[in-house]
Amino acid sequence: MCTRCSGHRAKGNSGWLAHQCWTPQNSDSPFAVLREDHQAMIAAGANKLFPDGQGSSGFITEKAVQWAAVMLLSRAFSLDLQEEAWDMGSDPDIALVPWADMLNHSSAAGKGSCLVYNPNSRIASLHAHRSYNQGEEVYDSYGPGLSPSKLLLDYGFVDLENHNHAVDLPASTLGPVKSKANEAFLEAIGLPIGGAIFTVTSSGVDESVMAWTRAAVASKEEMEEAGWREGHHNAPSIMIQFSQPTSQQNELEMLHRLLWACEGLLSKYPTTLAQDEAAIAVKGSSLPPARRQVLRALMSEKLALQGACHAFSDTIEKLHSGIPCGSLYP
């Protein structure tokens, strides 16, 4: 589909305008994958698929592939199109659905407003999240719970109704693990400190992230008590042991690591939340629309980190006040 899209663009047949991605073009970004796709398309002879014509010669450039991917992925749906029972549960397919791809996203719309494919009726359907008056624009949902940053990166905009503040937290920001045994354990469960990425929201992190951090800072005695022996194949069942606090010392270390990581991420932004809010609030500002969208996404990330810092600090205070570990979380 990227090849076909690039061909139409080269011949001047497309009126689509690509939104500008603000993802850094480094080896960890989607651009690295697209670079590999471009090389594979060239090697497969994609430039020879279309007859010669104006602009068609050598149209498969890296920029063209980036453009085509943005056009397709910002309009495509992830649907489970498998009709055979044995195929159910496989990865969803990327599909273009005419008419449905004209609908804009509303963060007020929930899961019911997401496009769903029924393999029995072979019909894709979605439902309005509220009643509409004649002449009103109808919205769907590109996915429940999408954060402003996710919307900006995948679709090129941030809607004002979105309050799903969230930001990525690389495991590496949580500091070094306690020992080689902890490192081996985290690798055994498939979440090594050098590769795992978690999500932080304004309420903190979920239980799985706390469990990972407890395991990362657990003492030798706590690892042995949980049942971990390097070389054993029981890592997933041992991870369950860390889903609950193991000791006050371990819990304090876990919470401090999370707090310090969030504070560290906050300090790396070139502007503060207050400065961003002031820039957005200026009436008659010459702030470009694209810059305004980026600012809203960055403000959301900072709100997530600030809220998480407050949550971790409050829990640390409760521990210091004498509240037992088992009573910290509802």
Side-chain angles (χ1 to χ4, degrees):
M1 286 196 294
C2 277
T3 304
R4 173 66 63 181
C5 222
S6 298
H8 285 306
R9 179 179 186 247
K11 294 180 179 181
N13 295 335
S14 175
W16 287 341
L17 293 176
H19 66 258
Q20 297 296 314
C21 278
W22 56 291
T23 308
Q25 297 193 36
N26 54 37
S27 59
D28 296 323
S29 76
F31 287 102
V33 177
L34 293 177
R35 194 170 299 116
E36 294 175 1
D37 290 344
H38 169 245
Q39 293 170 354
M41 292 163 70
I42 293 298
N47 274 322
K48 301 177 182 179
L49 293 178
F50 291 84
D52 291 338
Q54 183 178 3
S56 64
S57 178
F59 66 91
I60 300 295
T61 64
E62 187 174 334
K63 285 291 184 182
V65 173
Q66 290 178 4
W67 176 90
V70 166
M71 290 302 99
L72 292 169
L73 296 179
S74 64
R75 289 161 173 78
F77 295 86
S78 295
L79 300 177
D80 188 351
L81 300 177
Q82 306 302 325
E83 298 183 22
E84 300 294 335
W86 55 269
D87 271 343
M88 294 301 181
S90 59
D91 291 336
D93 297 288
I94 299 298
L96 292 176
V97 183
W99 184 83
D101 63 6
M102 296 173 64
L103 295 173
N104 285 322
H105 167 87
S106 171
S107 291
K111 187 176 181 180
S113 295
C114 295
L115 192 73
V116 177
Y117 178 75
N118 186 324
N120 297 320
S121 64
R122 304 185 70 179
I123 292 175
S125 62
L126 54 82
H127 302 273
H129 70 289
R130 64 174 178 84
S131 298
Y132 287 93
N133 296 320
Q134 184 175 352
E136 280 191 288
E137 181 177 359
V138 177
Y139 295 89
D140 69 348
S141 173
Y142 294 173
L146 290 176
S147 69
S149 293
K150 183 68 173 175
L151 275 174
L152 183 63
L153 287 170
D154 288 353
Y155 301 104
F157 71 92
V158 176
D159 61 325
L160 297 179
E161 297 175 311
N162 195 315
H163 303 291
N164 302 315
H165 307 308
V167 63
D168 287 344
L169 177 73
S172 57
T173 63
L174 293 171
V177 298
K178 184 70 73 174
S179 69
K180 290 290 186 181
N182 304 68
E183 183 177 352
F185 172 72
L186 297 175
E187 290 180 354
I189 62 172
L191 293 171
I193 191 168
I197 298 179
F198 305 125
T199 299
V200 175
T201 68
S202 50
S203 59
V205 295
D206 63 23
E207 293 180 359
S208 65
V209 182
M210 290 194 289
W212 185 96
T213 312
R214 290 186 188 111
V217 301
S219 65
K220 178 182 178 181
E221 292 73 22
E222 287 170 331
M223 293 296 293
E224 291 177 350
E225 185 176 347
W228 171 244
R229 300 290 186 278
E230 191 170 353
H232 290 193
H233 301 287
N234 57 345
S237 61
I238 291 175
M239 191 62 177
I240 298 175
Q241 305 296 318
F242 292 103
S243 61
Q244 298 294 328
T246 59
S247 67
Q248 184 183 42
Q249 182 178 351
N250 178 277
E251 200 68 8
L252 280 171
E253 179 70 10
M254 177 270 291
L255 290 166
H256 276 117
R257 290 287 187 98
L258 290 169
L259 175 61
W260 296 333
C262 290
E263 289 176 339
L265 289 179
L266 263 177
S267 69
K268 292 182 179 179
Y269 289 93
T271 58
T272 65
L273 178 59
Q275 290 172 327
D276 294 343
E277 291 173 337
I280 288 282
V282 175
K283 293 184 178 180
S285 171
S286 59
L287 197 65
R291 177 59 181 167
R292 188 176 294 272
Q293 297 278 1
V294 172
L295 269 181
R296 292 194 185 282
L298 293 175
M299 288 166 60
S300 173
E301 293 182 356
K302 294 169 189 176
L303 284 169
L305 290 169
Q306 284 189 357
C309 286
H310 288 309
F312 298 140
S313 296
D314 288 346
T315 308
I316 290 172
E317 287 183 12
K318 290 178 181 178
L319 265 178
H320 284 308
S321 69
I323 294 179
C325 291
S327 303
L328 287 174
Y329 313 104

